[in-house]
Amino acid sequence: MKRKAYKKLLEWKNSATRKPLLLLGARQVGKTWLMREFGANEYENVAYINCDNEPLTKELFINDYDIARLILGFQAITGQRIERGKTLIILDEIQETPRALHSLKYFCENAPEYHVMAAGSLLGVTLSHAESFPVGKVDLLHIYPMDFDEFLSAMGQNAFCEIMARKDYALIEAFSTKLKEYLFQYYFVGGMPEVVKAFADKNDLNETRSLQSAILDAYRRDISKHTSKTESVRIGQVLASLPSQLARENKRFIYGAAKRGARAADFEMAIQWLADAGLIYKAIRVNKVAVPLRFYEDITSFKLFFIDVGLLCCMADVPATIILGGNDSLTEYKGMLTEEYVAQQLSAVGMNLYYWSNDRTPAELDFIIQSGEEVYPIEVKASTNVRGKSLTRFLNENPDRKGLRFSLLGYKEQDRLTNIPLFMIDSLAEFL
């Protein structure tokens, strides 16, 4: 499988100011595979250590951070000769050994000639061992689930990827029916690499759902591992409520939907925990669409989206026939899945998510994003029916703004509104 992050790893390797690289992301987003694949392709050998299941690792870091001694220890554990610039040292699940995480500081300061790459779950690295984090001494790379373009590539559809990369809109329109089919498959499968690979290899929907369930179970175990019993229950209630929260026309998070009679104080910590852990994306309401958006945040009103659309489908137990049967059969699910998909794709390209609403009108802009000195209102439509008043009214009242619409229509420039096909969101930067 191809991951776009591979290019960033190459840039890291060739950088004159390279520091140890720390890959962060939720469980099962493909950090381990990416590191090992990169090491196998770009280095003479790889010294791989899993800090979770190698007991000698903890012993190695107990006394000090002497680099020469650590290198000898790595060689003893892995059986690999470690040479400067020729060997990739990988410390996986580094959150399980806090002193190993802290040792990256000394590799940065005292031995930058060694190529060191580490990976850890955000659940552990940023939450449990914050005191050990080597601030300013590591390069960071966040890894997300596979986006739709990567999914297409994994499905053997590189020709479609190339057509979209070339912005050949005539060909894109000609193959739009097929692209929609793959888009609906992505709604069901999602972007977790293990799930995508299994689906690409076997095309087995039951196995797909089984693998997704296993990932959700692993998340629940991690939550229990890193939190108290009370916190774990509240985090579980937030997650369990996401499908019903997103299925409503107004997708703003309602505390009472997670637990009857609940208030903000009951769930604020649970929501922040999930956001910090990378398991949810948070879109905060702004009361004014202007730069910088952060100045106009209304932190009391927000939407929550899950890390992956396929996992959300599994959590909601949405039948495959409803999703894969085509757009007409999506019914009430289509808005939930499409907005979740857009939130996931926007987050993967580094966008902070916001939205705007006006209860008096009523009107709502599904997403607002900021790029440089510009802000863009976004409307999300799950089909080719793009009738909607909120974005049109907003653009009429704000003639200096340009709007974006994601839908199943083809690419189209219309006054100050650009329609971008849903399957081309990963190319968003080129439209801004």
Side-chain angles (χ1 to χ4, degrees), residues 48 73 161 220 296 318 384:
Y48 174 85
C161 298
R220 295 183 186 105
Y296 305 103
V318 181
T384 56

Side-chain angles (χ1 to χ4, degrees), residues 202-270:
K202 301 178 183 179
N203 205 33
D204 186 332
L205 298 178
N206 290 329
E207 182 180 11
T208 297
R209 186 54 59 86
S210 178
L211 289 171
Q212 291 169 334
S213 296
I215 292 172
L216 291 174
D217 287 342
Y219 286 166
R220 295 183 186 105
R221 289 194 299 271
D222 276 348
I223 290 167
S224 298
K225 179 179 179 181
H226 291 284
T227 62
S228 68
K229 184 175 181 180
T230 299
E231 290 173 329
S232 179
V233 169
R234 289 180 176 173
I235 291 169
Q237 289 172 326
V238 172
L239 289 178
S241 76
L242 287 185
S244 62
Q245 302 263 11
L246 292 173
R248 300 195 324 270
E249 184 175 355
N250 178 358
K251 296 174 175 57
R252 180 171 62 88
F253 186 85
I254 303 297
Y255 295 101
K259 180 183 178 182
R260 185 181 296 276
R263 297 174 297 174
D266 299 321
F267 287 107
E268 280 179 338
M269 293 301 296

Side-chain angles (χ1 to χ4, degrees), residues 171-366:
L171 272 179
I172 292 171
E173 183 62 26
F175 288 103
S176 61
T177 299
K178 195 65 179 176
L179 285 167
K180 291 172 189 176
E181 290 178 9
Y182 281 112
L183 180 64
F184 296 143
Q185 288 180 21
Y186 183 81
Y187 283 4
F188 181 81
V189 177
M192 307 307 279
E194 180 186 12
V195 180
V196 172
K197 186 178 187 306
F199 181 73
D201 289 344
K202 301 178 183 179
N203 205 33
D204 186 332
L205 298 178
N206 290 329
E207 182 180 11
T208 297
R209 186 54 59 86
S210 178
L211 289 171
Q212 291 169 334
S213 296
I215 292 172
L216 291 174
D217 287 342
Y219 286 166
R220 295 183 186 105
R221 289 194 299 271
D222 276 348
I223 290 167
S224 298
K225 179 179 179 181
H226 291 284
T227 62
S228 68
K229 184 175 181 180
T230 299
E231 290 173 329
S232 179
V233 169
R234 289 180 176 173
I235 291 169
Q237 289 172 326
V238 172
L239 289 178
S241 76
L242 287 185
S244 62
Q245 302 263 11
L246 292 173
R248 300 195 324 270
E249 184 175 355
N250 178 358
K251 296 174 175 57
R252 180 171 62 88
F253 186 85
I254 303 297
Y255 295 101
K259 180 183 178 182
R260 185 181 296 276
R263 297 174 297 174
D266 299 321
F267 287 107
E268 280 179 338
M269 293 301 296
I271 291 170
Q272 189 59 50
W273 193 96
L274 287 166
D276 289 342
L279 293 181
I280 58 173
Y281 307 122
K282 190 174 186 180
I284 299 175
R285 181 183 177 275
V286 290
N287 50 45
K288 183 178 181 181
V289 183
V291 176
L293 287 171
R294 184 156 294 181
F295 278 10
Y296 305 103
E297 290 181 352
D298 172 10
I299 61 173
T300 65
S301 185
F302 52 86
K303 304 175 186 177
L304 296 183
F305 300 92
F306 200 37
I307 182 176
D308 179 70
V309 64
L311 293 182
L312 180 68
C313 282
C314 179
M315 188 187 300
D317 200 22
V318 181
T321 51
I322 289 179
I323 303 173
L324 303 180
N327 189 60
D328 291 340
S329 65
L330 285 176
T331 60
E332 67 268 24
Y333 296 102
K334 64 183 179 182
M336 173 184 79
L337 297 180
T338 304
E339 201 160 331
E340 160 70 26
Y341 162 78
V342 170
Q344 180 181 337
Q345 303 300 297
L346 290 176
S347 298
V349 297
M351 293 294 176
N352 293 318
L353 303 181
Y354 296 92
Y355 79 101
W356 173 87
S357 64
N358 184 341
D359 295 334
R360 295 190 304 272
T361 310
E364 180 172 313
L365 299 173
D366 297 318

